[in-house]
Amino acid sequence: MNDRLTGITTFVRVVEAGNFALAAERLHLTRSAVGKSIARLEQRLGVLLFHRNPRGLNLTLEGQAYYDRCLRALSELDAADAELNSGRREPQGCLRVSAPKLLGRHCITPILMRLLDSYPELRIDIRLNDRVADLVEEGFDLAIRIGPLADSVSLIARRLGDQYLALCAAPAYLAARGTPEDIAALDGHSGVAYHRSGEDVGWRQLLADPDFGDLNIDIRLRVDDLHSLADAAVAGAGLVWLPNWLLAHYLSNGALVPILGHIKLIPSEIHAVWPHTRYLPAKTRAAIDALLAQMPVLLQGI
């Protein structure tokens, strides 16, 4: 029976991935093992499930019908597992989490690691990547996302807190160029910008304020990595906007100094997101509870 369920799960993953290689990667199996599993399933059923061609795999009519049935069956099994798991006191099993790289490194991973001390049967697999993962297709139990969320009927979200930016610079830069005391004094200063998806993210929020309309900020460096951005500011490249949770490290050792702390910006909301399910597994609930309790303090940073 176990081999039968394994074959069905493998079949569904191959359909979702579109090829054996990607399915094997997601299942942590070899491509050969996935291919043999599909061959055994086809032999047992007595039908061809896929049309193989150089461009990939396509379901046969029988394969499509079988896939639809398998999805419903696996959904029921997942619901049954979740229902039983939600009634357990101790979270267990593997919790798969997707999170942005730096936020994940500085905030998410430390919080979730502490869960391992409390729950010996729990395992955690954290993937840090700034792209937006497909939770259902890629098999994630939980994701952390910064900024506005797209409308979705398949996902549930819980707000963890707000990310605020702070303007700062290296002491040596301020000694050479002067410390701005108000918005107008920023005119003519050099700056470094977080550049993603064709936009200067931090300075875009800054310039949205009408009072900044005529300022001439010389953006001398654009980079899509916040650590590199901070390092450039520490080296004296200019003013920089950094999230408070990251800036705290540089303030503690004096590498950067905050300026114009009275400026108010629209914060970016941070959410925990998970697939819609009738019963929330205990492992996911424990992670969400821990994040809700600890994230607000970490996000304040300074």
Side-chain angles (χ1 to χ4, degrees), residues 271-294:
H271 290 89
V273 180
W274 63 93
H276 190 283
T277 179
R278 187 182 306 171
Y279 302 99
L280 187 62
K283 61 183 180 181
T284 309
R285 185 183 303 279
I288 294 170
D289 288 344
L291 291 167
L292 284 169
Q294 300 175 51

Side-chain angles (χ1 to χ4, degrees), residues 44-78:
R44 180 174 65 80
L45 296 173
V47 299
L48 191 66
L49 296 172
F50 293 103
H51 292 301
R52 278 84 163 171
N53 60 70
R55 291 176 295 178
L57 300 172
N58 293 308
L59 285 169
T60 62
L61 290 176
E62 295 84 356
Q64 183 64 58
Y66 190 63
Y67 173 67
D68 293 339
R69 294 267 185 156
C70 288
L71 276 185
R72 290 195 291 269
L74 290 176
S75 177
E76 286 299 317
L77 287 172
D78 287 342

Side-chain angles (χ1 to χ4, degrees), residues 46-199:
V47 299
L48 191 66
L49 296 172
F50 293 103
H51 292 301
R52 278 84 163 171
N53 60 70
R55 291 176 295 178
L57 300 172
N58 293 308
L59 285 169
T60 62
L61 290 176
E62 295 84 356
Q64 183 64 58
Y66 190 63
Y67 173 67
D68 293 339
R69 294 267 185 156
C70 288
L71 276 185
R72 290 195 291 269
L74 290 176
S75 177
E76 286 299 317
L77 287 172
D78 287 342
D81 288 348
E83 182 177 1
L84 291 174
N85 193 24
S86 65
R88 293 177 179 148
R89 293 183 179 180
E90 293 291 318
Q92 59 181 277
C94 182
L95 177 74
R96 298 194 70 237
V97 181
S98 172
K101 283 184 179 179
L102 282 186
L103 182 68
R105 175 182 170 184
H106 285 264
C107 300
I108 307 303
T109 298
I111 292 174
L112 296 184
M113 280 180 58
R114 287 191 280 272
L115 288 177
L116 298 177
D117 296 329
S118 302
Y119 306 114
E121 298 301 318
L122 180 64
R123 303 290 181 270
I124 300 178
D125 180 358
I126 304 175
R127 303 302 174 94
L128 302 182
N129 197 307
D130 289 333
R131 70 177 180 83
V132 177
D134 186 318
L135 274 66
V136 176
E137 181 178 340
E138 298 179 47
F140 285 107
D141 301 293
L142 187 67
I144 309 303
R145 295 191 175 156
I146 304 174
L149 296 176
D151 292 335
S152 174
V153 297
S154 62
L155 300 177
I156 300 176
R158 183 70 183 271
R159 184 172 173 176
L160 299 176
D162 296 323
Q163 172 179 277
Y164 284 92
L165 300 178
L167 185 61
C168 57
Y173 173 88
L174 296 175
R177 300 287 300 274
T179 301
E181 298 295 336
D182 53 35
I183 292 176
L186 292 174
D187 192 61
H189 272 274
S190 298
V192 292
Y194 181 49
H195 194 74
R196 188 180 65 186
S197 303
E199 297 183 83

Side-chain angles (χ1 to χ4, degrees), residues 172-246:
Y173 173 88
L174 296 175
R177 300 287 300 274
T179 301
E181 298 295 336
D182 53 35
I183 292 176
L186 292 174
D187 192 61
H189 272 274
S190 298
V192 292
Y194 181 49
H195 194 74
R196 188 180 65 186
S197 303
E199 297 183 83
D200 295 336
V201 179
W203 292 97
R204 181 197 63 216
Q205 290 176 289
L206 172 65
L207 296 174
D209 188 319
D211 292 335
F212 289 78
D214 297 324
L215 289 181
N216 179 27
I217 305 293
D218 182 16
I219 305 298
R220 304 188 61 196
L221 176 68
R222 291 173 170 84
V223 64
D224 65 355
D225 175 76
L226 283 175
H227 263 162
S228 298
L229 195 70
D231 290 342
V234 169
L239 307 177
V240 65
W241 289 93
L242 292 175
N244 287 350
W245 52 264
L246 178 60

